[in-house]
Amino acid sequence: MAERGRRVRVLDGDELRRRLFVVLGFDRADRDANVRRVGFVAELRARQSTVDSPSSVR
């Protein structure tokens, strides 16, 4: 995709958790919420023509 001129970035779920989602813990419900939030951030960035590759462990 980058070769086609698209901006491509990796979204690190752990990095987002440390900086944006600090209230989330590591129980199942919070991990699920983290994955949903990372997906939401990727969706917002896609609207700006950025392709994100979310990296998160559920």
Side-chain angles (χ1 to χ4, degrees):
M1 289 184 227
E3 292 174 358
R4 295 181 183 175
R6 299 292 300 254
R7 291 181 291 182
V8 180
R9 301 288 182 264
V10 174
L11 283 180
D12 185 335
D14 287 336
E15 185 70 21
L16 289 172
R17 178 191 296 272
R18 280 192 298 272
R19 296 179 182 268
L20 296 178
F21 313 140
V22 295
V23 297
L24 296 178
F26 289 92
D27 63 13
R28 182 61 183 243
D30 284 350
R31 291 192 320 260
D32 288 348
N34 188 55
V35 169
R36 281 192 305 275
R37 291 176 183 193
V38 170
F40 179 72
V41 170
E43 180 183 345
L44 290 176
R45 290 173 49 84
R47 293 178 190 170
Q48 299 171 349
S49 301
T50 299
V51 177
D52 290 315
S53 176
S55 170
S56 196
V57 177
R58 185 169 172 243

